[in-house]
Amino acid sequence: MRSMGIAELKALLSETLARVKDGDEVLVTEHGRPIARILPLSAALPAEATQQLVRAGLVRAPEKPLDETFWKLPRAKFRQPAHRREDAELEDPELVEAV
């Protein structure tokens, strides 16, 4: 397992992640103290990785697969925030009337 400081990790992030993909583990240190470990996902297939997360209790498996009607549902629209009273109090009444 390779050990590297945060600055070195930032400088060599792409190369480090390529090594992790190849199976290496990296211990990240801050001022010489270990703070994190980067390791490859153990499963090669996304479905296997998902099952590992379900078994670990980190995610919940779907009760049933999504059908085509789900993808045709209307999407949520962005809602503009209501006009805040504080902003209105900051406006100069003379300038508002002049407009």
Side-chain angles (χ1 to χ4, degrees):
M1 178 180 347
R2 181 171 181 197
S3 177
M4 61 189 342
I6 295 172
E8 184 182 6
L9 175 62
K10 287 168 78 173
L12 301 172
L13 184 60
S14 295
E15 293 89 345
T16 303
L17 292 178
R19 287 180 154 195
V20 170
K21 280 184 184 180
D22 290 337
D24 292 349
E25 291 187 18
V26 177
L27 183 67
V28 182
T29 61
E30 182 179 49
H31 305 293
R33 294 187 185 131
I35 61 168
R37 187 172 53 153
I38 304 174
L39 55 144
L41 289 175
S42 58
L45 301 174
E48 290 176 27
T50 303
Q51 288 304 317
Q52 286 182 353
L53 294 172
V54 170
R55 284 192 294 273
L58 299 173
V59 296
R60 192 175 72 194
E63 295 174 6
K64 61 180 181 178
L66 297 174
D67 60 1
E68 287 302 313
T69 58
F70 171 82
W71 301 107
K72 294 176 183 172
L73 291 172
R75 295 180 180 226
K77 301 212 186 291
F78 177 74
R79 202 173 104 193
Q80 292 289 337
H83 187 67
R84 292 180 17 193
R85 177 172 260 248
E86 298 159 0
D87 294 339
E89 291 173 357
L90 295 175
E91 293 178 355
D92 185 351
E94 293 177 3
L95 292 177
V96 173
E97 290 176 10
V99 175

